[in-house]
Each structure stands twice: as structure tokens, then as C-alpha cells.
Amino acid sequence: MVPFSVLDLSPIVAGSDASQALRNTLDLARHAERWGYRRYWLAEHHNMTGVASAATSVVIGHVAGGTSTIRVGAGGIMLPNHAPLVIAEQFGTLAALFPGRIDLGLGRAPGTDPVTSRALRRTLAGDVDSFPEDVVELMSYFRPAEPGQRVQAVPGAGLNVPIWILGSSLFGAQLAAALGLPYAFASHFAPDQMMQAIELYRSRFRPSEQLAQPHVMLGLNVFAADTDEEARRLFTSLQQAFANLRRGRPGPLPPPVDDFESQLTPMESAMLDQALSCTVLGSPETVQRQMEVFIARTQPDELMVTSQMFDHTARLHSFEIAAAARDKLARKGLSTAPPSSSPASPP
């Protein structure tokens, strides 16, 4: 069975606030745990009025404390915004509080605009160009402390928190392969180089202490409802949010609308079709069929399901439908990646 996981941005919807968004996040996580999702990840974004997960490690603690078995982590922490030691201490603390349940996905994008990025970093010397060195430094803090080591992560040293590399280009694939780390590709919003990145990662992977064989997780937008028509309408919230972001007018997640595509220019329509091409939407039967096609084409080791929906009840229903489709595909014997590409043990 291809494991399914959840990516959540704790969406703040129009007319609501961050408090409700965070309550919804915990509620979804508890449902996802019951429905058999493997992990629940939250993403770091800043200066975005539609995203409540900016203080990502804090929200991870909120979710982990309200659940009991599901893995909880970052998808991801934008490492150039932080000193590696600070992240090691934060995730070392989380791993000490919730042993065996914390993941740390790392990205090199700022997760925000240039002005906010400067406000975040102040005098921090790190930038995207030093990302590989920062990852290696961060990994070193999770190893057992050496005699005489002057700087330690406390908590953190010796906890071996699993680290993932996130990416939407070939850079992340090469880095994850070189370091022997699991790789998560952002196909849910930047699918252009997906197939190249998968092939590059798997062909160049070097085994490490953390991972014996490559493990690829792909992002997938899922908008499932009782009918195809309702799913298409729910999808318009994400389409609007994405279009508004590209227009330089980000805001809370808008409610769905009818006939949204007629409001787009041809260029905007083409942009949305391209950026959101890794999306399955429709009734349970339609979603299962589209998932089967996507899995057969990409051969992932894991899927990271995300769903930016305005209505929380509809969002829960969508994730429940996705879990049921996963189980039906498993019963059909749908395989994951070829044996040579499967991890010795899940990250």
C-alpha cells in the first residue's frame, strides 16, 4: 500500500481567524490519525493572512499533544530563515516530548516575500546558497555529542530526528540523494520538474545511517466530495487563492464560487492548469480512478495529500474519501515504487 500523509497550512478562511484555523488543524489531525494517515505535516509561511502555521514548531507541538500515534512534522521549515542550532533545539525539544513521532522537513525557499524575509533574518548571515552546509550542520546536532564538543543542542543531541529534504526543482533531489535522506517533492503547486527530480533522486541516491534506500513522497491536491460537481466547486477556493497570490494580493482563503474559470484571463487559466496539474477531484469513484492513474505514472513511495478547502466539514469529508480510496487501491494490489526503490524501513 502507498501510505498517505497530510500537509496542512492551517488555512485562515475569509470571515474567520487564526484561532479557529488552529482548532480546525487539530481536529483534522485527530481524524487523520483515525483514518490511517501516516504523518501530519505543517508548513512555514510568513506575512500571509491566509496561513496560521508561521510558528511551525509551536503548531507541531499543539498537534502532537492532541494526538497519540500519527507522526507530526514540518513540511517544512525554511532553513535559511533560521540558525541551524535553533531548529535543532526546537525539534530536539519536540522529539523529547513526543518520542518517535517527530519529522523535520527542510526547504531552502524563504516562504515569504523579500521584505518579510529581511525582517525575519535581520543580521543572520545564512542564505539559500548555504543551504547544504546548514543542513549538514543541523544534522550534526542530532548525533550523540562528542567529547569536548563546545556547542550542543539540548535537547537534541543523540535523538536522531528524521530529516527530509523538500524541493520543487532538481537541486533538492540532488542534495537529498547525496545525503541519503528522504525526499518530498512539491508537485501539488510546482509540478514542472517532478518526473526528472524523481529519476535523478533515485538514480543518485547514496545510502546513509538514516535511510538504506530512496524514499520519494509527492504532494497531491485532493478535492473529494459526493459528486464531481461539488468537488469542482470546492476546488475554486484554492484556484482563487492561487490566482490572488500570483496577482500580488494574497488574503484569507475565499469561499467557493460558481463558474470561476470564466473570470480568468487565458494566461491566468493556463497558469492555474499548469501549477495545479497534480490535483485529483471529484466523487469517490472519480478520485479513486485519478489516484490510481497518478500513482501508476509516478510510482511514489508515499503521497502527501493536501486540501485547501473553505468549509471544514467538507475538508474532513474529502480526507475521509481519500483514505477510503487508498484502502480500495490497496485491496486491488496497486503497488508502490519498484522494489529497488523502496526504503528498508519507512522514514
Side-chain angles (χ1 to χ4, degrees):
M1 182 181 75
V2 179
F4 281 21
S5 294
V6 177
L7 175 64
D8 184 15
L9 303 185
S10 292
I12 303 172
V13 304
S16 188
D17 57 23
S19 294
Q20 185 60 54
L22 294 169
R23 286 193 291 270
N24 290 345
T25 281
L26 181 55
D27 186 51
L28 175 57
R30 287 169 170 165
H31 280 84
E33 186 171 70
R34 291 197 295 271
W35 293 329
Y37 285 87
R38 172 173 285 182
R39 59 188 99 240
Y40 196 99
W41 279 9
L42 295 129
E44 176 186 346
H45 292 278
H46 301 281
N47 196 29
M48 297 186 69
T49 56
V51 177
S53 56
T56 315
S57 59
V58 177
V59 185
I60 290 170
H62 171 63
V63 171
T67 54
S68 58
T69 58
I70 195 169
R71 298 191 66 91
V72 188
I77 291 293
M78 302 297 105
L79 193 54
N81 294 341
H82 312 277
L85 177 61
V86 172
I87 298 304
E89 291 172 339
Q90 290 178 4
F91 280 79
T93 301
L94 288 167
L97 289 168
F98 309 104
R101 295 183 56 209
I102 300 300
D103 298 327
L104 175 52
L106 301 172
R108 69 177 183 132
T112 189
D113 58 88
V115 174
T116 306
S117 180
R118 286 194 292 273
L120 280 166
R121 297 176 189 178
R122 296 284 178 157
T123 58
L124 190 63
D127 58 26
V128 295
D129 294 329
S130 64
F131 180 65
E133 292 80 9
D134 288 344
V135 172
V136 171
E137 179 185 347
L138 176 53
M139 292 171 64
S140 73
Y141 291 128
F142 290 132
R143 298 191 184 101
E146 298 288 342
Q149 182 175 330
R150 297 185 63 186
V151 179
Q152 300 181 30
V154 183
L159 293 183
N160 295 316
V161 175
I163 289 178
W164 293 64
I165 298 297
L166 314 184
S168 58
S169 69
L170 303 184
F171 180 91
Q174 295 178 74
L175 181 61
L179 296 178
L181 298 176
Y183 180 52
F185 189 83
S187 37
H188 58 295
F189 72 89
D192 282 0
Q193 294 183 298
M194 175 179 65
M195 298 306 294
Q196 289 174 274
I198 294 170
E199 193 282 328
L200 180 66
Y201 168 70
R202 285 181 169 153
S203 65
R204 298 190 182 181
F205 181 84
R206 299 176 182 174
S208 68
E209 292 179 4
Q210 179 175 331
L211 194 63
Q213 297 184 32
H215 187 94
V216 175
M217 179 160 60
L218 300 178
L220 183 66
N221 298 299
V222 177
F223 285 77
D226 292 334
T227 66
D228 291 351
E229 293 73 20
E230 178 60 16
R232 280 194 291 269
R233 188 172 186 277
L234 293 169
F235 182 50
T236 62
S237 290
L238 178 61
Q239 290 176 307
Q240 292 175 79
F242 215 95
N244 290 339
L245 182 62
R246 292 295 177 93
R247 293 164 182 163
R249 301 196 301 268
L253 186 68
V257 295
D258 294 319
D259 199 24
F260 172 67
E261 293 186 1
S262 66
Q263 306 171 28
L264 299 171
T265 67
M267 184 175 295
E268 288 175 329
S269 182
M271 178 274 293
L272 288 177
D273 287 345
Q274 178 274 327
L276 303 178
S277 61
C278 290
T279 298
V280 302
L281 75 161
S283 66
E285 296 77 15
T286 303
V287 163
Q288 180 182 331
R289 183 170 63 251
Q290 292 177 357
M291 281 182 175
E292 185 167 5
V293 170
F294 182 80
I295 292 171
R297 178 168 69 93
T298 60
Q299 293 288 289
D301 298 293
E302 190 168 343
L303 282 182
M304 178 65 73
V305 176
T306 185
S307 182
Q308 293 286 86
M309 279 191 189
F310 181 83
D311 181 76
H312 181 60
T313 300
R315 191 173 184 226
L316 293 177
H317 189 42
S318 180
F319 276 100
E320 185 177 20
I321 291 172
R326 172 205 62 202
D327 295 342
K328 290 178 181 178
L329 291 174
R331 287 195 290 272
K332 288 181 65 175
L334 184 67
S335 65
T336 177
S340 61
S341 297
S342 300
S345 58

